[in-house]
């Protein structure tokens, strides 16, 4: 166990109101690609940048193309929680962690067993008919795609089904924001993981932290490193995987 892990263990041992603030890096270790990382393949397959496809305007302008991208990039199948998700759920069950705040739209924290999860950018697991507001899960979106339906339509009224994720040009959900800020403001330890904090407005949330220990775990350097008591430039799953949970 290296020095940094020992320091993190000591902080976690003395804390009983930890909040975890996570970003894309937490999910990439489970195999979910970060759609913002543009590669050569990407450029050949899509005519628009991801930020444009995942915007509200684009959703209504070219719903079929939106769903082609969304199903391919944001609804990967066979994905499982990794060591980071599992350890955070374990910390919550032990009464030490009070909330996970995440920018990710997958369901991996809940699958790992976390109960209090504020998903700032919404979730792929909730989808609603735009006309009658009927609910559909993520399986429905996948299955309609497999059947060749380019756009998922409501089984009750035929309306277009839209994912409950925050698209570009859309605002965050007020209740989720309030809950996340409250949790961060009350925390004694804030662990930021798997995010370089360059996605606003979500990244500005950490300003509400007034507690004792601010920890950053991210593979690369971030602008916030200078403000943190402890900075670990290693993969989040490997780091949290080494932590021992005692009540
Ligand atoms: Zn409907």
């Amino acid at each position: 166990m290296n020095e940094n892990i020992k320091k993190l263990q000591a902080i976690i041992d003395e804390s009983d109101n930890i909040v975890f603030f996570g970003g894309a890096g937490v999910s990439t270790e489970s195999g979910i690609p970060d759609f913002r990382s543009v590669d050569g393949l990407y450029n050949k397959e899509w005519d628009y940048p991801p930020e444009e496809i995942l915007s509200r305007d684009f959703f209504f302008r070219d719903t079929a193309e939106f769903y082609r991208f969304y199903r391919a990039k944001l609804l990967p199948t066979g994905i499982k929680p990794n060591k980071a998700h599992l350890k955070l759920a374990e910390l919550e069950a032990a009464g030490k962690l009070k909330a996970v705040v995440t920018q990710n739209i997958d369901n991996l924290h809940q699958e790992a067993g976390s109960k209090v999860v504020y998903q700032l950018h919404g979730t792929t697991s909730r989808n609603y008919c735009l006309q009658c507001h009927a609910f559909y899960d993520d399986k429905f979106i996948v299955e309609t795609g497999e059947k060749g339906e380019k756009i998922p339509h409501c089984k009750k009224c035929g309306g277009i089904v839209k994912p409950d994720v925050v698209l570009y040009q859309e605002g965050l959900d007020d209740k989720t924001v309030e809950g996340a800020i409250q949790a961060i403001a009350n925390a004694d330890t804030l662990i930021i993981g798997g995010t370089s904090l360059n996605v606003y407005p979500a990244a500005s949330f950490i300003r509400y932290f007034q507690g004792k220990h601010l920890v950053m775990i991210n593979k690369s350097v971030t602008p916030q490193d200078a403000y943190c008591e402890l900075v670990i430039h290693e993969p989040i799953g490997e780091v949290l995987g080494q932590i021992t949970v005692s009540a």
Side-chain angles (χ1 to χ4, degrees), residues 20-38 51 73-74 76 79-80 82 84-85 88 100-109 119-121 168 192-199 202-203 216-220 222 234-237:
F20 179 80
F21 186 102
V26 179
S27 292
T28 50
E29 284 179 45
S30 281
I32 296 183
D34 182 358
F35 68 81
R36 288 181 194 85
S37 57
V38 174
E51 288 79 5
K73 291 280 179 184
L74 301 184
I79 298 291
K80 295 227 156 44
N82 62 49
H85 300 103
L88 292 166
V100 168
V101 180
T102 179
Q103 301 171 85
N104 299 332
I105 57 174
D106 57 63
N107 216 26
L108 292 173
H109 285 295
Q119 292 188 271
L120 298 174
H121 296 160
Y168 290 90
I192 304 163
T195 173
S196 49
L197 288 172
N198 52 15
V199 181
M216 169 69 74
I217 307 168
N218 194 52
K219 277 199 259 187
S220 55
T222 83
E234 287 169 55
I236 181 81

Side-chain angles (χ1 to χ4, degrees), residues 104-126:
N104 299 332
I105 57 174
D106 57 63
N107 216 26
L108 292 173
H109 285 295
Q110 290 89 339
E111 280 176 35
S114 286
K115 305 285 183 231
V116 183
V117 183
Y118 297 104
Q119 292 188 271
L120 298 174
H121 296 160
T123 171
T124 57
S125 62
R126 291 190 305 258

Side-chain angles (χ1 to χ4, degrees), residues 129 131-134 136 154-159:
C129 169
Q131 284 185 54
C132 76
H133 304 290
Y136 293 95
C154 178
K155 285 192 271 189
K156 291 169 187 154
C157 80

Side-chain angles (χ1 to χ4, degrees), residues 152-196:
H153 284 98
C154 178
K155 285 192 271 189
K156 291 169 187 154
C157 80
I160 293 174
V161 176
K162 184 172 179 283
D164 192 11
V165 301
V166 179
L167 300 177
Y168 290 90
Q169 301 159 342
E170 290 181 334
L172 306 187
D173 175 68
D174 287 344
K175 271 194 181 160
T176 308
V177 168
E178 269 171 46
I181 288 175
Q182 197 77 48
I184 291 169
N186 291 335
D188 62 7
T189 294
L190 180 63
I191 302 174
I192 304 163
T195 173
S196 49

